[in-house]
Amino acid sequence: MITVLSGGTGTPKLLQGIKEIVDTKELTIIVNTLENDYFSGVYVSADIDTVLYTMSDIINDEFWYGVKGDTFITHERLAEIGCPELLRIGDIDRATKIQKTQLMEKYGLARACEIQAKNMGIESRIIPMSEEDSEITIVSDIGELEFHDFLIKHQSEPEVLDLRFSNVAPSEGVVDAIRNSKAVIIGPSNPITSILPILSLEGVREALKDTYVIAVSPIIGSDAVSGPASKFMKALDIEVSSVGVADLYKDFLDNIVIDDKDSNLEPQLKQIINKVTITNTIMNSLGVKKNLAQIIIDSIP
């Protein structure tokens, strides 16, 4: 079995490649829940839904959220009647969220995800990192902001001074999935708001120390491939580079995959970890995604 730690953008791109070359029944995906919240009366777990849509081949891969070909009739009507939404939720996407909200009331988040994955024909196991509500606060130069206010309302423009997130308990099966895996792949998601919350769960870092772990760096040069990861890393005094990523994971990391453009960092990285894999990590086609996935799988001892 292989386990992937995922956020909602970079890692799902990699999952598109992975699911083409491995038996998806042997794949477990542990997904960040830090940013989950209620919007317009429905529970929004953006990263989980992105993984669900990716694994069922309906993801809108232009924007990496929502469903391809979706309509926005409800969203637009809400704005017309004076009830605008912070998030632009499509109609098909909203149906998924409504169902998840109802299932959660009866079963909890993990079981809701299991039911939805099965309904979508997904053979992989998708586990939310936690069943507990979590909170994240972005401390910025314009005050304290909730994550979605920072990301959407303010378009990630404020300077980030610090960030805080609540500690939550891992979902049942998270630590066991890591322990029972042949390898764990840390995808190229935001290392601070997508991966670090998973690593902060009780028992996770300890389990990773006993498992082969390979991470794909989401940083090329001194900036993130996408999203505000570089701002968050700077706020926590973490070097914005693949070296900073490796340092964040160094107590359990066995191999880091970096982009060709960062090949000059190999000597520095090898002072932190034993193995560095250098290849094209810009996943702008399915061919590149499959090639990157194959390189990762082939590197597993």
Side-chain angles (χ1 to χ4, degrees), residues 151 156 190 223-231:
L151 192 68
S156 302
N190 187 317
D223 203 2
V225 175
S226 64
S230 56
K231 283 194 171 187

Side-chain angles (χ1 to χ4, degrees), residues 158-258:
E159 180 184 353
V160 179
L161 307 176
D162 196 6
L163 57 89
R164 302 188 297 266
F165 58 83
S166 53
N167 291 322
V168 292
S171 293
E172 183 178 354
V174 164
V175 175
D176 285 344
I178 293 170
R179 285 199 174 125
N180 295 330
S181 289
K182 182 179 181 181
V184 173
I185 300 167
I186 300 179
S189 294
N190 187 317
I192 307 303
T193 56
S194 293
I195 303 301
L196 191 57
I198 302 175
L199 301 181
S200 300
L201 299 171
E202 184 178 358
V204 166
R205 280 188 179 266
E206 290 73 16
L208 288 168
K209 290 175 184 177
D210 296 326
T211 309
Y212 186 84
V213 182
I214 179 169
V216 181
S217 176
I219 307 294
I220 297 178
S222 59
D223 203 2
V225 175
S226 64
S230 56
K231 283 194 171 187
F232 296 151
M233 291 176 74
K234 286 177 184 176
L236 297 183
D237 292 324
I238 298 169
E239 181 181 325
V240 183
S241 71
S242 293
V243 174
V245 174
D247 198 53
L248 189 64
Y249 304 154
K250 66 182 178 183
D251 55 323
F252 55 76
L253 188 62
D254 297 289
N255 183 3
I256 188 166
V257 181
I258 64 171

Side-chain angles (χ1 to χ4, degrees), residues 81-101:
I81 62 176
C83 188
E85 295 180 298
L86 180 62
L87 301 183
R88 189 171 183 261
I89 303 173
D91 299 312
I92 298 173
D93 187 17
R94 193 182 303 271
T96 302
K97 292 168 173 36
I98 290 171
Q99 183 195 38
K100 187 183 282 90
T101 305

